[in-house]
Amino acid sequence: MDGLGTRAATVLVAAAVLVEDGKVLLSQRKAGTHLAGAWELPGGKVEAGEDPREALRRELREELGVEARVGDVVEATFHRYEDAGKAVLLLFYEASREPGSSGASSCARAARRRCRSRPPSSTR
C-alpha cells in the first residue's frame, strides 16, 4: 500500500540477460526517471496484452538498436519501491543478439566496457 492506504498497481517488466564474450550488457537509466543514472539489465514495461518476450525484443530494438533472440525466463522477482509508490514484477530472460544485428548505442557499449569480468589481455 502507498502512504494513502491504497495498493499500488504492479508493473510487469521484462529484462534481458545478454552475455557476450564474458561481458553482460547493461544500460543506464535516463535522467528524469525513477533511479536515474543507475545501471540495469536492459528491458522495459510490458504493455497490456503484450507477450513479455515481444515486449523485450521491442524495448531492445527501440532503446539500444539491438535485434535479439529471447529465450527462457532465468529469474523472476518482485520489488516494491515505497519511495515511488509502485511495485514491479521483473521477468529476466536469457537473450542473445541476432546474427547481423547492429551494435548497441554508445551508452550500452560503455556499460559493456565497465562490466568486464577480467582485465583486457595485452593482445587486444
Side-chain angles (χ1 to χ4, degrees):
M1 292 206 202
D2 65 18
L4 302 174
T6 58
R7 189 173 295 249
T10 298
V11 177
L12 180 60
V13 172
V17 179
L18 197 156
V19 180
E20 291 180 341
D21 300 324
K23 296 174 271 185
V24 177
L25 177 65
L26 297 177
S27 59
Q28 192 170 26
R29 294 188 61 87
K30 295 176 185 173
T33 64
H34 182 241
L35 301 174
W39 292 94
E40 64 183 0
L41 294 169
K45 294 178 187 173
V46 178
E47 302 296 330
E50 187 176 28
D51 179 296
R53 285 180 179 87
E54 288 301 319
L56 183 52
R57 277 190 277 275
R58 174 181 52 75
E59 289 285 345
L60 291 170
R61 184 181 320 108
E62 290 174 0
E63 298 294 324
L64 302 175
V66 171
E67 296 295 332
R69 292 181 183 159
V70 177
D72 293 331
V73 171
V74 294
E75 184 65 51
T77 191
F78 175 84
H79 187 75
R80 186 174 292 110
Y81 294 95
E82 299 293 344
D83 60 327
K86 66 179 176 180
V88 179
L89 175 60
L90 294 141
L91 301 176
F92 297 95
Y93 287 90
E94 181 179 22
S96 60
R97 193 185 307 252
E98 286 282 4
S101 175
S102 62
S105 70
S106 59
C107 172
R109 283 194 300 273
R112 284 198 306 268
R113 284 193 303 270
R114 181 174 184 239
C115 297
R116 288 192 183 177
S117 58
R118 60 186 178 274
S121 68
S122 59
T123 59
R124 286 189 184 175

